[in-house]
């Protein structure tokens, strides 16, 4: 289930992966925020209004005041899928005696794991505390060192861990607000192969960087009517400062060259969510969310101290030229009994990228996401959730070129996400 925010925090993740590019061969948008299994079933259509478990500390801390006892939530989600590039590549992209031109397909499996931990506790009848550790985005692709796109990307991985406290404040019986802090740890890898004119035989380039960024999030929750509530949440831009290593090795030129202190700075974009939820009766509820991401702040990134074949050290600028996006989710819940709750939802996930700057390292693009979920309340202390999401991706065009290579064709992608969680009321 790719996103509800899928689209936004997810892209943020691949943006980060792009931070690791060893050449201007780029990664595109990536957006996959899977922060709990309960919301997955509704395609996160209740992002800012759910306030049903401790994960609200991340989605909208204003909802913490609705958690009336200490609660611990542990969730785990996994993504599996595949992507295929069909088209042609040329390295280098200009006339050269040793030009390598290829056409056909290149495939990669997609996989990611998203664990989360949340804690909530009321302080008094107006204040509530929350703390969360979650993986809002993670993904890995591996096209192999012999594929037709190897000069653009081979193995790519990104992992971001977001952690921090939140505080919810109840103003009156209808209105609450909340604020939280975010410390984001990002680690990413992006490898590719160098060919002519920099290397006469395939030479491996590897880049690994990691670092911290800090931001904040907040939200409001308003009970308009007994059966109607509206929520809004905001996540600030997070400026990431990453350092790491850059390495090349091959047979001609021979040897292995590795340097440290590779640096990249980039800001993960600010985003906002607006949700409305309506209880139709004691059994049925409908909900919807609009997600906005300020992608225009992410035009390009520059990597400093990148080593290339021959041992030269240079800076690499990677263009993105993203545009701002809206994504939308609609969800439906049905409660056949006090113990059981059934969920479903649909989401439209947009893409901020364009055909000119889109590459193969990040295959995520526009999609329709279908979600299904189930909640079982065993007793007053323990509840379980499972969720499933399938993404129907639109075929995305690729027409990318830089100083070293070019790729023309299209990407086809499909993914499935499975999730489970348990919530314990501790007191």
């Amino acid at each position: 289930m790719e996103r509800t925010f899928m689209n936004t925090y997810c892209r943020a993740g691949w943006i980060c992966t792009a931070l690791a590019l060893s050449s201007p061969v780029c990664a595109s948008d990536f957006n996959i925020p899977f922060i709990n299994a309960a919301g997955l079933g509704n395609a996160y259509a209740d992002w800012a209004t759910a306030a049903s478990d401790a994960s609200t500390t991340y989605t909208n801390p204003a909802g913490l005041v609705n958690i009336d006892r200490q609660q611990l939530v542990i969730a785990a989600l996994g993504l599996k899928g595949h992507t295929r590039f069909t088209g042609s590549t040329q390295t280098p992209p200009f006339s050269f005696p040793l030009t390598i031109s290829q056409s056909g397909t290149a495939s990669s499996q997609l996989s990611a794991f998203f664990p989360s931990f949340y804690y909530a506790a009321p302080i008094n009848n107006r204040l509530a505390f929350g703390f969360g550790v979650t993986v809002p985005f993670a993904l890995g692709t591996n096209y192999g060192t012999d594929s037709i796109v190897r000069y653009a990307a081979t193995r790519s991985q990104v992992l971001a861990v977001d952690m921090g406290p939140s505080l919810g404040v109840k103003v009156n019986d209808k209105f609450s607000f909340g604020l939280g802090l975010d410390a984001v740890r990002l680690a990413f890898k992006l490898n590719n192969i160098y060919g002519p004119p920099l290397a006469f035989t395939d030479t491996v380039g590897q880049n690994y960087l990691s670092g911290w960024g800090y931001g904040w999030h907040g939200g409001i929750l308003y009970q308009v009517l007994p059966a109607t509530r509206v929520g809004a949440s905001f996540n600030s831009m997070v400026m990431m400062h990453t350092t790491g290593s850059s390495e090349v090795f091959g047979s001609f030129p021979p040897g292995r060259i590795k340097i440290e202190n590779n640096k990249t700075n980039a800001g993960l974009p600010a985003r906002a969510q607006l949700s409305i939820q309506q209880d139709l009766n004691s059994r049925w509820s409908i909900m919807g969310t609009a997600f906005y991401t300020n992608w225009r702040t992410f035009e390009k990134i520059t990597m400093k101290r990148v080593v290339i074949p021959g041992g030269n050290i240079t800076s690499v600028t990677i263009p993105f030229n993203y545009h701002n996006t809206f994504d939308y989710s609609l969800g439906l819940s049905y409660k056949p009994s006090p113990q059981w709750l059934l969920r479903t939802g649909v989401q439209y996930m947009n893409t901020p990228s364009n055909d000119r700057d889109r590459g193969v390292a990040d295959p995520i693009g526009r999609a329709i996401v279908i979600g299904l979920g189930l909640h079982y309340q065993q007793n007053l202390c323990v509840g379980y959730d499972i969720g499933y999401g399938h993404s129907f991706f639109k075929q995305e065009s690729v027409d990318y070129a830089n100083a070293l290579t070019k790729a023309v064709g299209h990407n086809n992608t499909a993914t499935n996400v499975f999730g489970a969680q348990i919530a314990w009321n501790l007191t």
Side-chain angles (χ1 to χ4, degrees):
M1 146 105 204
E2 226 86 321
R3 185 285 175 3
T4 150
F5 171 90
M6 250 174 84
N7 215 14
T8 187
Y9 225 147
C10 193
R11 290 165 183 152
W14 261 109
I15 279 184
C16 304
T17 299
L19 306 179
L21 285 183
S22 63
S23 68
V25 185
C26 83
S28 177
D29 60 281
F30 172 72
N31 205 334
I32 305 182
F34 299 110
I35 47 80
N36 61 27
L40 178 62
N42 285 132
Y44 296 107
D46 57 354
W47 184 267
T49 56
S52 56
D53 62 46
S55 64
T56 191
T57 188
Y58 184 81
T59 57
N60 186 354
L64 285 168
V65 299
N66 289 358
I67 310 300
D68 59 2
R69 62 189 70 190
Q70 288 190 77
Q71 186 181 84
L72 178 67
V73 172
I74 297 176
L77 296 92
L79 178 148
K80 294 293 291 184
H82 66 273
T83 184
R84 184 179 69 252
F85 169 80
T86 302
S88 61
T89 60
Q90 180 179 320
T91 304
F94 50 82
S95 179
F96 187 74
L98 299 178
T99 296
I100 299 175
S101 298
Q102 296 177 290
S103 62
T105 63
S107 299
S108 172
Q109 295 297 310
L110 301 177
S111 61
F113 178 61
F114 308 87
S116 296
F117 161 87
Y118 305 100
Y119 171 76
I123 298 174
N124 54 41
N125 61 354
R126 289 193 178 273
L127 295 176
F129 171 80
F131 185 84
V133 179
T134 186
V135 178
F137 46 84
L139 194 67
T141 58
N142 189 355
Y143 286 99
T145 58
D146 59 352
S147 78
I148 66 171
V149 299
R150 63 188 182 275
Y151 301 112
T154 53
R155 187 170 184 82
S156 307
Q157 292 178 312
V158 61
L159 175 68
V161 180
D162 187 306
M163 62 192 77
S166 298
L167 188 68
V169 180
K170 183 178 181 179
V171 178
N172 53 44
D173 290 340
K174 290 189 174 183
F175 181 76
S176 62
F177 68 91
L179 290 171
L181 300 177
D182 296 283
V184 181
R185 177 66 175 179
L186 176 71
F188 55 88
K189 174 191 297 183
L190 191 61
N191 302 339
N192 66 282
I193 301 295
Y194 287 103
L198 294 182
F200 293 102
T201 61
D202 282 3
T203 299
V204 177
Q206 296 182 344
N207 295 269
Y208 175 81
L209 292 91
S210 62
W212 287 92
Y214 303 93
W216 62 275
H217 64 280
I220 59 174
L221 190 62
Y222 182 60
Q223 194 74 36
V224 182
L225 297 169
T228 307
R229 62 182 178 271
V230 176
S233 61
F234 176 81
N235 299 80
S236 74
M237 184 177 74
V238 177
M239 181 59 67
M240 304 300 307
H241 304 280
T242 64
T243 60
S245 62
S246 180
E247 182 178 14
V248 294
F249 56 91
S251 58
F252 193 81
R256 179 184 294 261
I257 304 171
K258 182 177 182 179
I259 65 167
E260 304 293 337
N261 204 29
N262 186 353
K263 294 181 179 180
T264 301
N265 298 327
L268 304 185
R271 51 193 170 79
Q273 297 80 218
L274 177 64
S275 303
I276 184 169
Q277 188 163 333
Q278 176 70 45
D279 298 330
L280 302 177
N281 52 43
S282 61
R283 295 181 182 272
W284 292 93
S285 297
I286 58 174
M287 60 221 63
T289 295
F291 304 87
Y292 173 78
T293 307
N294 186 31
W295 285 112
R296 282 193 178 275
T297 61
F298 200 85
E299 294 183 2
K300 62 183 179 181
I301 60 173
T302 298
M303 291 184 60
K304 299 178 180 179
R305 293 182 55 79
V306 175
V307 64
I308 60 177
N312 292 323
I313 298 174
T314 186
S315 294
V316 173
T317 297
I318 306 163
F320 288 90
N321 296 310
Y322 280 174
H323 61 269
N324 298 339
T325 60
F326 281 95
D327 304 284
Y328 306 94
S329 287
L330 292 174
L332 180 68
S333 294
Y334 174 64
K335 192 171 186 177
S337 72
Q339 289 78 35
W340 294 94
L341 179 67
L342 308 179
R343 299 184 175 101
T344 189
V346 60
Q347 179 185 93
Y348 172 71
M349 182 176 77
N350 209 332
T351 178
S353 63
N354 60 78
D355 295 349
R356 181 191 61 198
D357 298 307
R358 181 183 300 115
V360 298
D362 170 24
I364 304 301
R366 290 168 289 182
I368 299 295
V369 182
I370 303 297
L372 297 171
L374 176 69
H375 172 81
Y376 174 66
Q377 192 67 38
Q378 180 178 340
N379 51 46
L380 291 177
C381 295
V382 182
Y384 307 92
D385 286 275
I386 58 173
Y388 167 75
H390 179 77
S391 299
F392 299 89
F393 283 93
K394 183 181 183 296
Q395 179 174 288
E396 297 288 352
S397 298
V398 175
D399 188 4
Y400 181 80
N402 59 33
L404 299 180
T405 191
K406 71 176 181 180
V408 178
H410 57 264
N411 291 328
N412 292 96
T413 305
T415 60
N416 294 284
V417 177
F418 301 88
Q421 79 176 46
I422 182 170
W424 286 282
N425 290 322
L426 305 178
T427 58

